Coordinates of all heavy atoms in Angstrom, one line a residue:
S210 N 84.7 -48.7 -53.2 CA 85.0 -47.7 -54.2 C 86.1 -48.1 -55.2 O 86.9 -49.1 -54.8 CB 85.4 -46.4 -53.5 OG 86.7 -46.4 -53.1
N211 N 86.3 -47.5 -56.3 CA 87.3 -47.8 -57.2 C 88.7 -47.6 -56.6 O 89.6 -48.4 -57.0 CB 87.2 -47.0 -58.5 CG 86.4 -47.6 -59.5 OD1 86.0 -48.8 -59.4 ND2 86.1 -46.9 -60.6
K212 N 88.9 -46.6 -55.8 CA 90.2 -46.4 -55.2 C 90.7 -47.6 -54.4 O 91.7 -48.0 -54.5 CB 90.1 -45.1 -54.4 CG 91.5 -44.6 -54.0 CD 91.3 -43.2 -53.3 CE 92.7 -42.7 -52.9 NZ 92.6 -41.5 -52.1
I213 N 89.7 -48.1 -53.6 CA 90.0 -49.3 -52.8 C 90.3 -50.5 -53.6 O 91.3 -51.1 -53.5 CB 88.8 -49.6 -51.8 CG1 88.7 -48.6 -50.8 CG2 89.0 -51.0 -51.2 CD1 87.4 -48.7 -49.9
K214 N 89.5 -50.7 -54.6 CA 89.6 -51.8 -55.5 C 91.0 -51.7 -56.2 O 91.7 -52.7 -56.2 CB 88.5 -51.8 -56.6 CG 88.5 -53.1 -57.5 CD 87.4 -53.1 -58.4 CE 87.4 -54.4 -59.2 NZ 86.2 -54.6 -60.0
N215 N 91.4 -50.6 -56.8 CA 92.6 -50.5 -57.6 C 93.8 -50.6 -56.7 O 94.8 -51.4 -57.0 CB 92.7 -49.1 -58.3 CG 91.7 -49.1 -59.4 OD1 91.2 -50.1 -59.9 ND2 91.3 -47.9 -59.8
Y216 N 93.8 -50.0 -55.5 CA 95.0 -50.0 -54.6 C 95.2 -51.5 -54.1 O 96.2 -52.0 -54.2 CB 94.8 -49.1 -53.5 CG 96.1 -48.9 -52.7 CD1 97.1 -48.0 -53.1 CD2 96.4 -49.8 -51.7 CE1 98.3 -47.9 -52.4 CE2 97.6 -49.7 -51.0 CZ 98.5 -48.7 -51.4 OH 99.7 -48.7 -50.7
G217 N 94.1 -52.1 -53.6 CA 94.2 -53.4 -53.1 C 94.6 -54.4 -54.2 O 95.4 -55.3 -53.9
M218 N 94.1 -54.2 -55.4 CA 94.5 -55.2 -56.5 C 96.0 -55.1 -56.8 O 96.6 -56.2 -57.0 CB 93.7 -54.9 -57.7 CG 92.2 -55.3 -57.6 SD 92.0 -57.1 -57.1 CE 92.7 -57.9 -58.5
S219 N 96.5 -53.9 -56.8 CA 98.0 -53.8 -57.1 C 98.8 -54.6 -56.1 O 99.7 -55.3 -56.4 CB 98.4 -52.3 -57.0 OG 97.6 -51.6 -58.0
Q220 N 98.5 -54.4 -54.8 CA 99.2 -55.1 -53.7 C 98.9 -56.6 -53.8 O 99.8 -57.4 -53.6 CB 98.8 -54.5 -52.3 CG 99.3 -53.1 -52.2 CD 99.3 -52.7 -50.7 OE1 98.7 -53.3 -49.9 NE2 99.9 -51.6 -50.4
L221 N 97.6 -56.9 -54.0 CA 97.3 -58.3 -54.1 C 98.0 -59.1 -55.2 O 98.4 -60.2 -55.1 CB 95.7 -58.5 -54.2 CG 95.2 -59.9 -54.1 CD1 95.6 -60.6 -52.9 CD2 93.7 -59.9 -54.3
N222 N 98.1 -58.4 -56.4 CA 98.8 -59.0 -57.5 C 100.3 -59.3 -57.1 O 100.8 -60.3 -57.6 CB 98.7 -58.1 -58.7 CG 97.3 -58.1 -59.4 OD1 96.6 -59.1 -59.1 ND2 97.0 -57.1 -60.1
I223 N 100.9 -58.4 -56.4 CA 102.3 -58.7 -56.0 C 102.3 -59.9 -55.0 O 103.2 -60.8 -55.2 CB 102.9 -57.4 -55.3 CG1 103.1 -56.3 -56.4 CG2 104.2 -57.7 -54.6 CD1 103.5 -54.9 -55.9
L224 N 101.4 -59.9 -54.1 CA 101.4 -61.0 -53.2 C 101.1 -62.3 -53.9 O 101.8 -63.3 -53.6 CB 100.3 -60.8 -52.1 CG 100.5 -59.6 -51.1 CD1 99.2 -59.5 -50.2 CD2 101.7 -59.8 -50.3
K225 N 100.2 -62.3 -54.8 CA 100.0 -63.6 -55.6 C 101.2 -64.0 -56.4 O 101.4 -65.2 -56.5 CB 98.8 -63.4 -56.6 CG 97.4 -63.4 -55.8 CD 96.4 -63.2 -56.9 CE 95.0 -63.3 -56.3 NZ 93.9 -63.1 -57.2
S226 N 101.9 -63.0 -56.9 CA 103.1 -63.3 -57.7 C 104.2 -64.0 -56.8 O 105.0 -64.7 -57.4 CB 103.7 -62.1 -58.5 OG 104.4 -61.3 -57.6
L227 N 104.1 -63.8 -55.6 CA 105.1 -64.4 -54.7 C 104.6 -65.8 -54.1 O 105.3 -66.4 -53.3 CB 105.4 -63.5 -53.5 CG 106.2 -62.2 -53.9 CD1 106.3 -61.2 -52.8 CD2 107.6 -62.6 -54.4
K228 N 103.4 -66.2 -54.5 CA 102.9 -67.5 -53.9 C 103.8 -68.7 -54.2 O 103.8 -69.6 -53.4 CB 101.4 -67.7 -54.5 CG 100.4 -67.6 -53.5 CD 99.0 -68.1 -53.9 CE 98.6 -68.2 -55.3 NZ 97.2 -68.4 -55.5
D229 N 104.4 -68.7 -55.3 CA 105.2 -69.8 -55.7 C 106.6 -69.8 -55.2 O 107.5 -70.6 -55.6 CB 105.2 -70.0 -57.3 CG 103.8 -70.2 -57.8 OD1 103.0 -70.8 -57.1 OD2 103.5 -69.7 -58.9
G230 N 106.9 -68.7 -54.4 CA 108.3 -68.7 -53.9 C 109.0 -67.3 -54.2 O 108.4 -66.3 -54.6
I231 N 110.3 -67.3 -53.9 CA 111.1 -66.1 -54.0 C 111.1 -65.5 -55.4 O 111.2 -66.3 -56.4 CB 112.5 -66.3 -53.5 CG1 112.5 -66.7 -52.0 CG2 113.4 -65.1 -53.7 CD1 113.8 -67.1 -51.4
K232 N 111.0 -64.2 -55.5 CA 111.1 -63.5 -56.8 C 112.0 -62.3 -56.7 O 112.0 -61.6 -55.6 CB 109.8 -63.0 -57.3 CG 109.1 -64.1 -58.2 CD 108.0 -63.5 -59.0 CE 107.3 -64.6 -59.8 NZ 106.1 -64.1 -60.4
R233 N 112.8 -62.1 -57.7 CA 113.7 -60.9 -57.7 C 112.8 -59.6 -57.9 O 111.8 -59.6 -58.6 CB 114.7 -61.0 -58.8 CG 115.7 -62.1 -58.5 CD 116.9 -61.9 -59.5 NE 117.9 -63.0 -59.2 CZ 118.8 -62.9 -58.3 NH1 118.9 -61.9 -57.5 NH2 119.6 -64.0 -58.1
Y234 N 113.3 -58.5 -57.4 CA 112.6 -57.2 -57.4 C 112.4 -56.8 -58.9 O 111.3 -56.5 -59.3 CB 113.5 -56.2 -56.7 CG 112.9 -54.8 -56.6 CD1 112.2 -54.4 -55.6 CD2 113.1 -53.9 -57.6 CE1 111.6 -53.1 -55.5 CE2 112.6 -52.6 -57.6 CZ 111.8 -52.3 -56.5 OH 111.3 -51.0 -56.4
N235 N 113.5 -56.9 -59.7 CA 113.4 -56.5 -61.1 C 112.3 -57.3 -61.9 O 111.6 -56.8 -62.7 CB 114.7 -56.6 -61.8 CG 115.7 -55.6 -61.3 OD1 115.3 -54.7 -60.6 ND2 117.0 -55.8 -61.6
K236 N 112.3 -58.6 -61.6 CA 111.3 -59.5 -62.3 C 109.9 -59.1 -62.0 O 109.0 -59.0 -62.9 CB 111.6 -60.9 -62.0 CG 110.7 -61.9 -62.7 CD 111.1 -63.3 -62.6 CE 110.2 -64.1 -63.4 NZ 110.4 -65.6 -63.4
M237 N 109.6 -58.9 -60.6 CA 108.3 -58.4 -60.2 C 107.9 -57.1 -60.8 O 106.8 -56.9 -61.3 CB 108.2 -58.4 -58.7 CG 108.2 -59.7 -58.0 SD 107.8 -59.5 -56.2 CE 109.1 -58.6 -55.6
E238 N 108.9 -56.2 -60.9 CA 108.6 -54.8 -61.4 C 108.2 -55.0 -62.9 O 107.2 -54.3 -63.3 CB 109.9 -54.0 -61.3 CG 109.7 -52.6 -61.6 CD 111.0 -51.7 -61.5 OE1 112.1 -52.3 -61.8 OE2 110.9 -50.6 -61.2
K239 N 108.9 -55.8 -63.6 CA 108.6 -56.0 -65.1 C 107.2 -56.6 -65.3 O 106.4 -56.2 -66.1 CB 109.6 -56.8 -65.8 CG 110.9 -56.0 -66.1 CD 111.9 -56.9 -66.8 CE 113.2 -56.1 -66.9 NZ 114.3 -57.0 -67.0
E240 N 106.9 -57.6 -64.4 CA 105.6 -58.3 -64.5 C 104.4 -57.4 -64.2 O 103.4 -57.5 -64.8 CB 105.6 -59.5 -63.5 CG 106.4 -60.7 -64.0 CD 106.5 -61.8 -62.9 OE1 105.9 -61.6 -61.9 OE2 107.1 -62.8 -63.2
T241 N 104.6 -56.4 -63.3 CA 103.4 -55.6 -62.9 C 103.2 -54.5 -63.8 O 102.1 -54.0 -64.0 CB 103.7 -55.1 -61.5 OG1 104.8 -54.3 -61.4 CG2 103.7 -56.1 -60.4
G242 N 104.3 -54.0 -64.5 CA 104.2 -52.9 -65.4 C 104.1 -51.6 -64.8 O 103.8 -50.5 -65.4
F243 N 104.3 -51.4 -63.4 CA 104.3 -50.2 -62.8 C 105.6 -49.4 -63.0 O 106.6 -50.0 -63.3 CB 104.2 -50.3 -61.2 CG 102.8 -50.8 -60.8 CD1 102.6 -52.1 -60.4 CD2 101.7 -49.9 -60.8 CE1 101.4 -52.5 -60.0 CE2 100.5 -50.3 -60.5 CZ 100.3 -51.6 -60.0
C244 N 105.5 -48.0 -62.9 CA 106.7 -47.2 -63.0 C 107.5 -47.5 -61.8 O 107.0 -48.1 -60.8 CB 106.4 -45.8 -63.1 SG 105.7 -45.0 -61.7
K245 N 108.8 -47.3 -61.8 CA 109.7 -47.6 -60.7 C 109.3 -47.0 -59.4 O 109.3 -47.7 -58.4 CB 111.1 -47.1 -61.1 CG 111.8 -47.9 -62.1 CD 113.2 -47.5 -62.4 CE 113.9 -48.2 -63.5 NZ 114.0 -49.6 -63.4
A246 N 108.9 -45.7 -59.4 CA 108.4 -45.1 -58.1 C 107.2 -45.8 -57.5 O 107.2 -46.0 -56.3 CB 108.2 -43.6 -58.4
A247 N 106.2 -46.0 -58.4 CA 105.0 -46.6 -57.9 C 105.3 -48.0 -57.3 O 104.8 -48.5 -56.3 CB 103.9 -46.7 -59.0
F248 N 106.1 -48.8 -58.1 CA 106.4 -50.2 -57.6 C 107.2 -50.2 -56.3 O 106.9 -50.9 -55.4 CB 107.2 -50.9 -58.7 CG 107.4 -52.4 -58.4 CD1 106.3 -53.3 -58.5 CD2 108.6 -52.8 -58.0 CE1 106.5 -54.6 -58.1 CE2 108.8 -54.1 -57.6 CZ 107.8 -55.0 -57.7
F249 N 108.1 -49.3 -56.2 CA 108.9 -49.1 -55.0 C 108.0 -48.8 -53.8 O 108.1 -49.4 -52.7 CB 110.0 -48.0 -55.1 CG 110.8 -47.8 -53.8 CD1 111.8 -48.7 -53.5 CD2 110.5 -46.8 -53.0 CE1 112.5 -48.5 -52.3 CE2 111.2 -46.6 -51.8 CZ 112.2 -47.5 -51.5
K250 N 107.0 -48.0 -54.0 CA 106.1 -47.6 -52.9 C 105.2 -48.8 -52.5 O 105.0 -49.0 -51.4 CB 105.2 -46.5 -53.5 CG 104.3 -45.8 -52.4 CD 103.6 -44.6 -53.0 CE 102.7 -44.0 -51.9 NZ 101.9 -42.9 -52.4
L251 N 104.8 -49.6 -53.5 CA 104.0 -50.8 -53.2 C 104.8 -51.8 -52.4 O 104.3 -52.3 -51.4 CB 103.5 -51.5 -54.5 CG 102.3 -50.8 -55.2 CD1 102.1 -51.4 -56.6 CD2 101.0 -51.0 -54.4
I252 N 106.0 -52.1 -52.9 CA 106.8 -53.0 -52.2 C 107.1 -52.6 -50.8 O 107.1 -53.4 -49.8 CB 108.2 -53.3 -53.0 CG1 107.9 -54.0 -54.3 CG2 109.2 -54.0 -52.1 CD1 107.5 -55.5 -54.1
S253 N 107.5 -51.3 -50.6 CA 107.8 -50.7 -49.3 C 106.6 -50.9 -48.4 O 106.7 -51.2 -47.2 CB 108.2 -49.3 -49.4 OG 109.3 -49.1 -50.2
S254 N 105.4 -50.6 -48.9 CA 104.2 -50.7 -48.1 C 104.0 -52.2 -47.7 O 103.6 -52.4 -46.5 CB 103.0 -50.2 -49.0 OG 101.8 -50.5 -48.3
L255 N 104.2 -53.1 -48.6 CA 103.9 -54.5 -48.2 C 105.0 -55.0 -47.2 O 104.6 -55.8 -46.3 CB 104.0 -55.4 -49.5 CG 102.8 -55.2 -50.4 CD1 103.1 -55.9 -51.8 CD2 101.5 -55.8 -49.8
V256 N 106.2 -54.5 -47.2 CA 107.2 -54.9 -46.2 C 106.9 -54.3 -44.9 O 106.9 -54.9 -43.9 CB 108.6 -54.4 -46.7 CG1 109.6 -54.5 -45.6 CG2 109.1 -55.2 -47.9
K257 N 106.4 -53.0 -44.9 CA 106.1 -52.3 -43.7 C 104.9 -53.0 -43.0 O 104.9 -53.1 -41.7 CB 105.7 -50.9 -44.1 CG 105.5 -50.0 -42.9 CD 105.3 -48.5 -43.4 CE 104.9 -47.6 -42.3 NZ 104.6 -46.3 -42.8
K258 N 104.0 -53.5 -43.8 CA 102.8 -54.3 -43.2 C 103.2 -55.6 -42.8 O 102.4 -56.3 -42.2 CB 101.7 -54.3 -44.3 CG 101.1 -53.0 -44.6 CD 100.1 -53.2 -45.7 CE 99.6 -51.9 -46.2 NZ 98.7 -52.0 -47.3
G259 N 104.4 -56.1 -43.1 CA 104.8 -57.5 -42.7 C 104.2 -58.6 -43.5 O 104.1 -59.7 -43.1
L260 N 103.9 -58.2 -44.8 CA 103.3 -59.2 -45.7 C 104.3 -59.9 -46.6 O 104.2 -61.0 -47.0 CB 102.2 -58.6 -46.5 CG 101.0 -58.0 -45.7 CD1 100.1 -57.3 -46.7 CD2 100.3 -59.0 -44.9
I261 N 105.4 -59.1 -46.8 CA 106.5 -59.7 -47.6 C 107.8 -59.3 -46.9 O 107.8 -58.4 -46.1 CB 106.6 -59.3 -49.1 CG1 106.8 -57.7 -49.2 CG2 105.3 -59.6 -49.8 CD1 107.1 -57.3 -50.6
Q262 N 108.8 -60.1 -47.2 CA 110.1 -59.7 -46.7 C 111.3 -59.9 -47.7 O 111.1 -60.7 -48.6 CB 110.4 -60.6 -45.4 CG 110.5 -62.1 -45.7 CD 110.5 -62.9 -44.5 OE1 110.3 -62.4 -43.3 NE2 110.6 -64.2 -44.6
K263 N 112.3 -59.2 -47.5 CA 113.5 -59.3 -48.4 C 114.2 -60.6 -48.0 O 114.5 -60.8 -46.8 CB 114.4 -58.1 -48.2 CG 115.4 -58.0 -49.3 CD 115.9 -56.6 -49.4 CE 117.0 -56.4 -50.4 NZ 116.9 -57.1 -51.7
A264 N 114.4 -61.4 -49.0 CA 115.2 -62.7 -48.8 C 116.6 -62.5 -49.4 O 116.8 -61.5 -50.2 CB 114.4 -63.8 -49.3
K265 N 117.4 -63.4 -49.4 CA 118.8 -63.4 -50.0 C 118.7 -63.1 -51.5 O 119.4 -62.3 -52.0 CB 119.5 -64.6 -49.7 CG 121.0 -64.5 -49.9 CD 121.7 -65.8 -49.4 CE 123.2 -65.5 -49.3 NZ 123.9 -66.7 -48.7
E266 N 117.7 -63.8 -52.1 CA 117.7 -63.7 -53.6 C 116.5 -62.9 -54.2 O 116.1 -63.1 -55.3 CB 117.8 -65.1 -54.2 CG 119.1 -65.8 -53.9 CD 119.0 -67.3 -54.2 OE1 118.1 -67.7 -55.0 OE2 120.0 -67.9 -53.7
G267 N 115.8 -62.1 -53.3 CA 114.6 -61.4 -53.8 C 113.6 -61.2 -52.6 O 114.1 -60.9 -51.5
Y268 N 112.4 -61.3 -52.9 CA 111.3 -61.1 -51.9 C 110.5 -62.3 -51.8 O 110.3 -63.1 -52.8 CB 110.4 -59.9 -52.3 CG 111.1 -58.6 -52.1 CD1 111.9 -58.0 -53.0 CD2 110.9 -57.9 -50.8 CE1 112.5 -56.8 -52.8 CE2 111.5 -56.7 -50.6 CZ 112.3 -56.1 -51.6 OH 112.9 -54.9 -51.4
T269 N 110.0 -62.6 -50.6 CA 109.1 -63.8 -50.3 C 108.0 -63.4 -49.4 O 108.1 -62.3 -48.7 CB 110.0 -64.9 -49.7 OG1 109.2 -66.0 -49.5 CG2 110.6 -64.4 -48.4
L270 N 106.9 -64.1 -49.4 CA 105.8 -63.9 -48.5 C 106.2 -64.2 -47.1 O 106.9 -65.2 -46.9 CB 104.6 -64.8 -48.9 CG 103.9 -64.4 -50.2 CD1 102.8 -65.5 -50.5 CD2 103.2 -63.1 -50.1
T271 N 105.7 -63.5 -46.1 CA 105.8 -63.9 -44.7 C 104.6 -64.8 -44.4 O 103.7 -65.0 -45.3 CB 105.6 -62.6 -43.8 OG1 104.4 -62.0 -44.0 CG2 106.8 -61.6 -44.1
N272 N 104.5 -65.3 -43.2 CA 103.4 -66.2 -42.9 C 102.1 -65.3 -42.9 O 101.1 -65.8 -43.4 CB 103.6 -66.7 -41.4 CG 104.6 -67.9 -41.4 OD1 104.8 -68.5 -42.4 ND2 105.2 -68.1 -40.3
K273 N 102.1 -64.1 -42.5 CA 101.0 -63.2 -42.6 C 100.6 -63.0 -44.1 O 99.3 -63.1 -44.4 CB 101.3 -61.9 -42.0 CG 100.2 -60.9 -41.8 CD 100.7 -59.7 -41.0 CE 99.7 -58.6 -41.1 NZ 100.2 -57.3 -40.4
G274 N 101.5 -62.9 -44.9 CA 101.3 -62.7 -46.4 C 100.6 -63.9 -47.0 O 99.8 -63.8 -47.8
K275 N 101.1 -65.1 -46.6 CA 100.6 -66.4 -47.1 C 99.1 -66.5 -46.7 O 98.3 -67.0 -47.5 CB 101.4 -67.5 -46.6 CG 102.8 -67.6 -47.1 CD 103.6 -68.7 -46.5 CE 105.0 -68.7 -47.0 NZ 105.9 -69.6 -46.3
K276 N 98.8 -66.1 -45.5 CA 97.3 -66.2 -45.0 C 96.5 -65.2 -45.9 O 95.4 -65.6 -46.2 CB 97.2 -65.8 -43.5 CG 97.8 -66.9 -42.6 CD 97.7 -66.5 -41.2 CE 98.4 -67.4 -40.3 NZ 98.6 -66.9 -38.9
I277 N 97.0 -64.0 -46.1 CA 96.2 -63.0 -46.8 C 95.9 -63.5 -48.2 O 94.8 -63.3 -48.8 CB 96.9 -61.6 -46.8 CG1 96.6 -61.1 -45.4 CG2 96.4 -60.8 -47.9 CD1 96.7 -59.6 -45.2
V278 N 96.8 -64.1 -48.9 CA 96.7 -64.5 -50.3 C 95.6 -65.6 -50.4 O 94.9 -65.7 -51.4 CB 98.0 -65.1 -50.8 CG1 97.8 -65.9 -52.1 CG2 99.0 -64.0 -51.0
L279 N 95.3 -66.3 -49.3 CA 94.3 -67.3 -49.4 C 92.9 -66.8 -49.1 O 91.9 -67.5 -49.2 CB 94.6 -68.5 -48.4 CG 95.9 -69.2 -48.6 CD1 96.2 -70.2 -47.5 CD2 95.9 -69.9 -49.9
M280 N 92.8 -65.6 -48.6 CA 91.5 -65.0 -48.2 C 90.7 -64.6 -49.4 O 91.2 -64.4 -50.5 CB 91.7 -63.8 -47.3 CG 92.3 -64.1 -45.9 SD 92.7 -62.6 -45.0 CE 91.1 -61.9 -44.7
D281 N 89.4 -64.2 -49.2 CA 88.5 -63.7 -50.2 C 89.1 -62.4 -50.7 O 89.4 -61.5 -50.0 CB 87.1 -63.5 -49.6 CG 86.2 -62.8 -50.6 OD1 85.8 -63.5 -51.5 OD2 85.8 -61.7 -50.3
E282 N 89.1 -62.2 -52.1 CA 89.8 -61.1 -52.7 C 89.1 -59.7 -52.2 O 89.8 -58.7 -52.0 CB 89.6 -61.1 -54.2 CG 90.8 -61.9 -54.7 CD 91.0 -61.8 -56.3 OE1 90.4 -60.8 -56.9 OE2 91.7 -62.6 -56.8
D283 N 87.8 -59.7 -52.1 CA 87.2 -58.4 -51.7 C 87.6 -58.0 -50.3 O 87.8 -56.9 -50.0 CB 85.6 -58.5 -51.7 CG 85.1 -58.5 -53.2 OD1 85.8 -57.9 -54.0 OD2 84.0 -59.1 -53.4
K284 N 87.7 -59.0 -49.4 CA 88.1 -58.8 -48.0 C 89.5 -58.3 -47.9 O 89.9 -57.4 -47.3 CB 87.9 -60.1 -47.2 CG 87.9 -59.9 -45.7 CD 87.7 -61.2 -45.0 CE 86.3 -61.6 -45.1 NZ 86.0 -62.9 -44.3
V285 N 90.4 -58.9 -48.8 CA 91.8 -58.6 -48.8 C 92.0 -57.2 -49.3 O 92.8 -56.4 -48.8 CB 92.6 -59.6 -49.7 CG1 94.0 -59.2 -50.0 CG2 92.6 -61.0 -49.1
R286 N 91.3 -56.8 -50.4 CA 91.4 -55.5 -50.9 C 91.1 -54.4 -49.9 O 91.8 -53.4 -49.7 CB 90.5 -55.3 -52.2 CG 91.1 -55.9 -53.4 CD 90.4 -55.3 -54.6 NE 89.0 -55.6 -54.6 CZ 88.4 -56.5 -55.3 NH1 89.1 -57.4 -56.0 NH2 87.1 -56.7 -55.3
Y287 N 90.0 -54.7 -49.2 CA 89.6 -53.7 -48.1 C 90.7 -53.7 -47.0 O 91.0 -52.6 -46.5 CB 88.3 -54.1 -47.5 CG 87.8 -53.2 -46.5 CD1 87.4 -51.9 -46.8 CD2 87.9 -53.5 -45.1 CE1 87.0 -51.0 -45.8 CE2 87.6 -52.6 -44.1 CZ 87.1 -51.3 -44.5 OH 86.8 -50.4 -43.5
L288 N 91.1 -54.9 -46.6 CA 92.1 -54.9 -45.5 C 93.4 -54.2 -45.9 O 94.0 -53.4 -45.1 CB 92.5 -56.4 -45.2 CG 91.6 -57.2 -44.3 CD1 92.1 -58.6 -44.2 CD2 91.6 -56.6 -42.9
L289 N 93.9 -54.4 -47.1 CA 95.1 -53.7 -47.6 C 94.9 -52.2 -47.6 O 95.7 -51.5 -47.2 CB 95.5 -54.3 -49.0 CG 96.0 -55.7 -49.0 CD1 96.1 -56.2 -50.5 CD2 97.3 -55.9 -48.2
Y290 N 93.7 -51.8 -48.1 CA 93.5 -50.3 -48.2 C 93.3 -49.7 -46.8 O 93.9 -48.7 -46.5 CB 92.2 -50.1 -49.1 CG 91.9 -48.6 -49.3 CD1 92.7 -48.0 -50.3 CD2 91.0 -48.0 -48.6 CE1 92.4 -46.6 -50.5 CE2 90.7 -46.6 -48.8 CZ 91.5 -46.0 -49.7 OH 91.2 -44.6 -50.0
A291 N 92.6 -50.4 -46.0 CA 92.3 -49.9 -44.6 C 93.6 -49.8 -43.8 O 93.9 -48.9 -43.1 CB 91.3 -50.8 -43.9
N292 N 94.4 -50.8 -44.0 CA 95.8 -50.8 -43.4 C 96.6 -49.6 -43.7 O 97.3 -49.0 -43.0 CB 96.5 -52.2 -43.7 CG 97.5 -52.5 -42.7 OD1 98.0 -51.6 -41.9 ND2 97.9 -53.7 -42.7
V293 N 96.5 -49.2 -45.0 CA 97.3 -48.1 -45.5 C 96.8 -46.8 -44.8 O 97.5 -45.9 -44.5 CB 97.1 -48.0 -47.1 CG1 97.6 -46.6 -47.5 CG2 97.9 -49.1 -47.7
K294 N 95.5 -46.7 -44.7 CA 94.9 -45.5 -44.1 C 95.3 -45.3 -42.7 O 95.3 -44.2 -42.2 CB 93.4 -45.5 -44.3 CG 92.9 -45.4 -45.7 CD 93.3 -44.0 -46.2 CE 92.9 -43.8 -47.6 NZ 93.5 -42.6 -48.2
Q295 N 95.6 -46.4 -42.0 CA 95.9 -46.3 -40.6 C 97.4 -45.8 -40.4 O 97.7 -45.3 -39.4 CB 95.8 -47.6 -39.9 CG 94.4 -48.1 -39.8 CD 94.3 -49.6 -39.4 OE1 95.3 -50.2 -39.1 NE2 93.1 -50.1 -39.4
T296 N 98.2 -45.9 -41.4 CA 99.6 -45.6 -41.2 C 99.9 -44.1 -41.4 O 99.1 -43.4 -41.9 CB 100.5 -46.4 -42.1 OG1 100.1 -46.1 -43.5 CG2 100.5 -47.8 -41.8

């Protein structure tokens, strides 16, 4: 469904943006174009799921996050959405 696609894509875009290393919160927020509240919710959700972690100079992918970024996009979107529904 569109809801799954949109939600998963937002989280996946954040994960992909961290593929190259640590990024500051403000920089990621500007790149995504989300409002502050929506972006905070996305970041919090990814931290809670153990896909990203706060580092000294920003956020970085965890090992779990690195694996997810390499998976098939459709599968990742479903996993991200399904994971949200369980919490």
Side-chain angles (χ1 to χ4, degrees):
S210 81
N211 268 353
K212 194 172 180 185
I213 292 174
K214 186 174 183 176
N215 293 340
Y216 192 87
M218 284 308 294
S219 301
Q220 291 195 347
L221 185 57
N222 287 338
I223 291 171
L224 294 175
K225 282 182 176 179
S226 80
L227 290 170
K228 250 195 329 194
D229 299 327
I231 295 174
K232 271 199 181 166
R233 293 191 182 278
Y234 185 92
N235 292 348
K236 184 172 183 178
M237 286 191 299
E238 186 180 35
K239 283 180 187 156
E240 286 175 357
T241 60
F243 288 106
C244 70
K245 288 184 185 301
F248 186 73
F249 178 78
K250 192 174 177 184
L251 282 169
I252 290 292
S253 298
S254 175
L255 290 169
V256 169
K257 190 175 172 184
K258 292 175 187 176
L260 300 177
I261 66 172
Q262 62 191 4
K263 193 160 175 43
K265 199 172 191 177
E266 297 170 13
Y268 284 87
T269 184
L270 289 173
T271 62
N272 286 336
K273 187 176 170 184
K275 288 174 186 170
K276 287 178 188 168
I277 282 201
V278 169
L279 298 174
M280 292 171 69
D281 174 69
E282 278 195 14
D283 288 333
K284 198 178 285 185
V285 171
R286 281 197 301 262
Y287 180 76
L288 278 175
L289 292 171
Y290 186 78
N292 201 342
V293 166
K294 289 298 178 191
Q295 292 169 6
T296 58

